Amino acid sequence: MKSKLSILILFAFTFCASCTKNTDEFDGPSINELLSDFNVLEDFKADRDSVDFANGENVVFSATFNKTVDWTITITGNDTKGVKVITGTSRVLDASNATWDGSVTEFPMFNIEECTAQLSIADVADTFSVNEKIISRRVLDGFVVADFETGLLPGWTKFIQSGADMDFQVKTDSLAPEGNKYLNMAGTVNWDYLIGLVDFKATAYGTGMDNTFPLNTNGDAVYFNCLIWGEPNTNASIVLFQLTEDEDENGTFDGNNEDQYDLEIKVDWVGWKLISIKYSDLTTLVNGQPATPKGNGVHNPDKLRQISMLHLADPNLGFASSKLDLVIITENGPLQP
């Protein structure tokens, strides 16, 4: 009986030993780390106090803590009030997780200005900050159709209805989401949906004798982007973009035989919003409904001749207002502001 009991005890001991986890394979912070008070081992700092984003410089923030924490760096422009947020979970801040390339999380985009970068730690009352000066803005990668920094280009055409309280002009004030200017679009038109429009013609940019925008031939690689402001407490605006292609390359658009692609945006938000769409995802619209293109039905961004922007609103609902800025065409992905 004793021999059988000894065998059972030995078997149980061996089984338990085989189930013991190797401490070398433990993932995550130790108990000591979890229970320890938070301490900063190396102060929060930036690798430079001024940055030239236009020439490819970035800012790398660094710090070291005694334990793994959830952290947030919030960079705020002192003038624009633009905001960039960088978050992570780690003991160390370095180039791998805390690099700022001049991009923005919340509009407006940064300008040449002083900024404050503040580090906050979850469940820690103290915050830490450093100052950073932008000496040149980040250069956006893409073909800028309109940013209104020099007003309306001579090669564009515009039409404005003769309604009430019309305000269809370039403005310079703190609402600009990029640079210093934007196109304001407002008015009351009680007989028509159209309040005003602007035609952005390829010929206005000196892009070549073919009268088209210098874009990639692949509609899947091209993205149309713009910034639109939603005005609170007004008749909801509709912004309609019409993109016409010169398929036979004769310098004109024939609506009966060539493709027009459309993007209708119902502005049902407040503040600035980035709109981005892949060129090949654009559809043809007739009275707001999908329709069959009149041309070859192939998205050819390299044959894009004109982009028309129409500001629309229900004529029965009174005053409508919206704003437009940074119409830009990018490749291989949407705009990264």
Side-chain angles (χ1 to χ4, degrees):
M1 183 69 180
K2 287 185 179 180
S3 61
K4 290 183 178 180
L5 180 61
S6 299
I7 292 172
L8 288 173
I9 293 172
L10 179 61
F11 174 78
F13 177 79
T14 304
F15 177 78
C16 291
S18 66
C19 293
T20 301
K21 184 176 180 180
N22 187 340
T23 55
D24 292 339
E25 298 176 357
F26 180 75
D27 289 331
S30 66
I31 294 297
N32 289 337
E33 181 178 330
L34 289 172
L35 297 179
S36 64
D37 293 331
F38 171 77
N39 287 303
V40 177
L41 303 182
E42 293 184 16
D43 289 340
F44 178 56
K45 61 184 179 181
D47 67 339
R48 61 182 77 240
D49 57 15
S50 62
V51 57
D52 185 355
F53 288 123
N55 284 314
E57 291 182 353
N58 293 327
V59 180
V60 176
F61 298 102
S62 61
T64 303
F65 318 122
N66 69 315
K67 58 191 295 185
T68 299
V69 295
D70 296 326
W71 51 265
T72 300
I73 300 172
T74 305
I75 307 158
T76 305
N78 293 0
D79 297 330
T80 63
K81 307 305 179 186
V83 175
K84 173 67 177 182
V85 178
I86 306 172
T87 61
T89 301
S90 64
R91 293 181 62 249
V92 177
L93 274 62
D94 57 24
S96 68
N97 58 11
T99 297
W100 178 38
D101 61 359
S103 59
V104 67
T105 303
E106 299 176 16
F107 294 110
M109 299 171 72
F110 294 102
N111 211 330
I112 298 173
E113 60 182 322
E114 298 279 352
C115 299
T116 301
Q118 184 178 78
L119 170 67
S120 59
I121 310 295
D123 301 321
V124 175
D126 294 336
T127 59
F128 315 88
S129 63
V130 295
N131 296 323
E132 193 68 40
K133 182 178 181 180
I134 300 176
I135 59 177
S136 72
R137 296 190 298 158
R138 175 169 167 260
V139 177
L140 299 175
D141 186 14
F143 183 88
V144 177
V145 177
D147 62 7
F148 306 105
E149 293 303 296
T150 58
L152 298 176
L153 296 185
W156 299 344
T157 59
K158 69 175 182 177
F159 170 77
I160 305 170
Q161 295 274 31
S162 56
D165 302 316
M166 303 300 292
D167 185 357
F168 210 89
Q169 58 185 323
V170 174
K171 288 196 170 182
T172 304
D173 58 42
S174 60
L175 286 179
E178 187 275 337
N180 299 300
K181 299 181 180 181
Y182 60 88
L183 178 64
N184 196 62
M185 306 179 294
T188 303
V189 178
N190 59 15
W191 69 89
D192 191 4
Y193 265 80
L194 179 64
I195 295 176
L197 65 84
V198 180
D199 292 330
F200 306 111
K201 300 179 179 181
T203 52
Y205 306 91
T207 57
M209 297 303 294
D210 57 0
N211 298 318
T212 57
F213 290 91
L215 303 178
N216 194 305
T217 60
N218 183 2
D220 288 330
V222 174
Y223 287 75
F224 178 82
N225 315 266
C226 65
L227 300 178
I228 297 178
W229 169 276
E231 190 77 24
N233 304 318
T234 63
N235 178 11
S237 294
I238 300 171
V239 177
L240 174 64
F241 287 96
Q242 299 174 330
L243 295 84
T244 53
E245 295 183 354
D246 180 13
E247 294 178 2
D248 59 12
E249 300 180 354
N250 68 350
T252 62
F253 169 69
D254 183 346
N256 294 316
N257 297 293
E258 295 179 304
D259 288 339
Q260 173 179 307
Y261 295 107
D262 306 290
L263 175 61
E264 183 180 86
I265 303 161
K266 295 180 179 179
V267 187
D268 56 2
W269 62 85
V270 174
W272 288 104
K273 182 178 180 180
L274 171 63
I275 303 297
S276 296
I277 185 170
K278 187 186 298 184
Y279 192 91
S280 59
D281 288 338
L282 292 167
T283 59
T284 298
L285 300 176
V286 175
N287 296 324
Q289 298 301 313
T292 302
K294 295 293 184 68
N296 62 12
V298 178
H299 290 77
N300 299 123
D302 58 312
K303 296 185 178 181
L304 179 60
R305 178 179 177 274
Q306 179 173 294
I307 302 171
S308 298
M309 188 285 305
L310 291 74
H311 182 228
L312 311 170
D314 189 328
N316 299 309
L317 299 180
F319 181 77
S321 179
S322 186
K323 310 180 195 306
L324 175 70
D325 199 7
L326 193 60
V327 182
I328 182 172
I329 300 174
T330 56
E331 286 193 13
N332 302 317
L335 174 68
Q336 301 297 320

